[in-house]
Amino acid sequence: TGKVTLDYGFGNTANCESNITYIDGGNGILRYRGYPIEELARESTFIEVCYLLIYGELPDAPSLERFTHVIKRNRLLPEDFIAFFGAFPSNGHPMSVLQAGVAGLATYYEDTLNPLDPDQLDAATFQLLGKLPTMVSMIAKRAEGLPTLYPDSSRDLTEDFIRMTFGLPYQSYDIDPAMVRALDTLFILHADHEQNCSTSTVRFVGSSHANLYASVASAIGALSGPLHGGANEAVLRMLIQMRDTDMTVKQFVEKVKNKEEGIKLMGFGHRVYKSYDPRAAIVKESAHEVLSRLGKADKLLDLATELEEVALSDDYFISRNLYPNVDFYTGLIYRAMGFRMKMFTPLFAIGRLPGWIAQYREMIKDPATKIARPRQVYIGETERHYTSLRSRG
Ligand code: CMC
């Protein structure tokens, strides 16, 4: 009731108050719980950032140990759940399998489904933080027809995720600590981003008191789209297409500017940042570091660098405040690390999971929360009357 305001994409509408993440899009500032993203990326770890987002403060040593322990303990998937991965074609997109898998987890943990019971919500929180990376590594293995590996609690979480994704049973696997650190930092950079499409989805779905698994599964669906998390894969496909068709950067940029076939410069632009995305600045530096460390000169990195330079000096992009976003360089790093393209967005999901969970918990606890139910402006037919099939056409 009352006057309805039309606001496509909720560009001007806030659906909640939040203590979690602050963005100043004009000045390229991002903070989790008050801490600048640059400091967290440089000095913190992903597990600490998970704790920070969910509980609001950085953990002391015993709290971090307890938190890490409980997540490690929750990493094993139910043994019969593993058959689930075999039910999908091995080349099916990992995001679809992951979405189904996360929704399906709820069937195993029925005593963790009531979000209004704090103990049950904690249990669901730990189940997801533990199991989602295990699931992602198993999906990666299945896609290559290789045996899956079980978690090893003697290793740190990110290191063990890499082992489960790339290692083989009964074979030692040397893990480069620099690679672990680079991936951990990428997870930190993705960990929350206030009311983006997937996080709003978590809040929307959760506002009906749907359980955490159902809400996170919906968020995974939202994240899979190329305008959101799917952009990291789309950027790489775009670069490969440019390389393989010998199209010059200038020619490609012209196509984008002319909006030919609706082509966009993937990995560019953002609803909130109207200056350089601070995450992209860190990722760009890391891309150069990781590629040179792994000795993987990549023509695609040269193409991306040139593309950024050309775009940033072009009026089309300048006048619209379009800068590279977090997804522009991440795919190049994942690829250098050995991940297949289809695994890029699931990696984003691992990083974003603590943000989804923190936002869901904040939403559930906030007494002001209401079921999400936007209005519309109806522009269809006015009343008319049914005619029988015979009298139509
Ligand atoms: N390439 C070319 N033109 C663009 C782009 C782009 N990447 N992004 C925006 N524009 C143009 C758009 O066509 C519009 O032009 P005009 O005024 O002539 O119609 C203008 O810039 C404003 O764009 P918008 O579509 O109103 O912006 P939005 O806030 O609705 O969309 C966005 C934000 C991220 C969906 C969009 O910039 C985009 O599609 N980017 C490419 C996909 C991408 O990289 N997504 C990742 C986003 S960041 C991390 C994440 O969420 O995963």
Side-chain angles (χ1 to χ4, degrees):
T1 53
K3 194 173 173 320
V4 167
T5 311
L6 184 58
D7 185 14
Y8 279 106
F10 306 114
N12 298 304
T13 303
N15 179 41
C16 61
E17 290 185 324
S18 181
N19 286 309
I20 303 172
T21 290
Y22 172 77
I23 302 177
D24 173 348
N27 294 305
I29 294 172
L30 168 61
R31 299 185 198 126
Y32 298 160
R33 302 279 188 187
Y35 294 101
I37 191 65
E38 293 79 5
E39 280 177 35
L40 293 171
R42 199 172 51 240
E43 287 166 48
S44 187
T45 57
F46 180 53
I47 187 76
E48 258 192 3
V49 166
C50 290
Y51 187 102
L52 172 69
L53 288 170
I54 292 171
Y55 299 113
E57 296 296 336
L58 285 168
D60 57 15
S63 309
L64 183 62
E65 200 184 315
R66 272 196 307 275
F67 185 65
T68 308
H69 177 72
V70 74
I71 292 174
K72 281 187 177 175
R73 229 185 38 219
N74 277 288
R75 282 187 305 161
L76 268 185
L77 293 167
E79 195 59 21
D80 55 343
F81 185 87
I82 293 174
F84 158 88
F85 296 112
F88 295 95
S90 59
N91 63 349
H93 201 287
M95 285 298 276
S96 308
V97 183
L98 188 64
Q99 181 175 10
V102 166
L105 269 187
T107 62
Y108 289 83
Y109 304 105
E110 291 201 324
D111 55 354
T112 69
L113 303 185
N114 179 3
L116 304 179
D117 175 334
D119 291 339
Q120 294 202 23
L121 186 52
D122 278 348
T125 295
F126 294 128
Q127 289 291 1
L128 279 171
L129 287 172
K131 288 181 173 51
L132 188 119
T134 310
M135 226 185 253
V136 171
S137 64
M138 288 191 173
I139 292 170
K141 280 281 194 246
R142 271 277 318 154
E144 293 182 58
L146 293 171
T148 52
L149 295 185
Y150 291 101
D152 169 358
S153 290
S154 68
R155 294 170 187 267
D156 285 347
L157 289 161
T158 300
E159 177 195 327
D160 205 35
F161 168 71
I162 293 174
R163 183 194 62 85
M164 284 194 287
T165 306
F166 296 111
L168 288 170
Y170 304 109
Q171 290 186 22
S172 63
Y173 176 69
D174 283 339
I175 302 173
D176 178 355
M179 175 161 156
V180 177
R181 180 64 202 156
L183 188 59
D184 206 65
T185 306
L186 286 175
F187 289 157
I188 294 173
L189 294 177
H190 286 90
D192 195 48
H193 214 235
E194 50 119 303
Q195 305 313 316
N196 58 83
C197 181
S198 57
T199 304
S200 299
T201 300
V202 166
R203 283 183 177 263
F204 251 65
V205 176
S207 75
S208 75
H209 296 179
N211 65 65
L212 186 62
Y213 308 91
S215 305
V216 167
S218 307
I220 291 171
L223 188 73
S224 70
L227 299 189
H228 189 11
N232 57 13
E233 184 183 329
V235 169
L236 215 79
R237 293 192 188 281
M238 169 185 83
L239 295 172
I240 288 174
Q241 194 199 357
M242 284 173 69
R243 182 196 63 192
D244 294 351
T245 56
D246 285 325
M247 190 190 298
T248 66
V249 162
K250 290 220 159 77
Q251 283 168 335
F252 181 76
V253 167
E254 279 313 306
K255 269 172 161 295
V256 171
K257 286 162 60 177
N258 297 331
K259 302 191 170 160
E260 272 176 45
E261 302 145 30
I263 299 182
K264 279 184 167 178
L265 179 46
M266 299 312 283
F268 257 68
H270 199 274
R271 172 63 58 77
V272 185
Y273 291 122
K274 299 302 166 201
S275 67
Y276 214 98
D277 178 338
R279 303 167 301 171
I282 302 169
V283 174
K284 182 179 176 183
E285 209 174 292
S286 171
H288 285 279
E289 261 169 43
V290 171
L291 265 68
S292 71
R293 188 184 160 84
L294 295 175
K296 295 200 174 165
D298 193 340
K299 171 137 200 296
L300 298 182
L301 178 61
D302 302 336
L303 263 179
T305 313
E306 191 186 340
L307 198 49
E308 180 186 340
E309 271 166 26
V310 170
L312 290 184
S313 54
D314 191 294
D315 250 4
Y316 175 94
F317 295 89
I318 297 171
S319 62
R320 290 171 175 78
N321 291 318
L322 299 172
Y323 292 86
N325 58 51
V326 69
D327 291 321
F328 194 65
Y329 286 101
T330 48
L332 291 164
I333 306 180
Y334 297 145
R335 175 176 138 105
M337 289 174 167
F339 291 101
R340 292 177 322 117
M341 265 195 288
K342 283 183 176 178
M343 295 310 298
F344 294 177
T345 314
L347 293 171
F348 191 151
I350 294 178
R352 184 56 53 88
L353 180 64
W356 291 333
I357 292 175
Q359 301 265 355
Y360 179 99
R361 293 167 66 104
E362 188 181 64
M363 176 275 304
I364 280 287
K365 284 185 193 142
D366 184 347
T369 295
K370 287 182 166 199
I371 189 165
R373 204 308 183 184
R375 302 302 306 277
Q376 65 167 13
V377 175
Y378 178 73
I379 56 166
E381 301 285 349
T382 53
E383 184 178 9
R384 51 185 176 161
H385 296 287
Y386 185 82
T387 51
S388 69
L389 182 57
R390 259 179 302 125
S391 63
R392 275 175 247 155

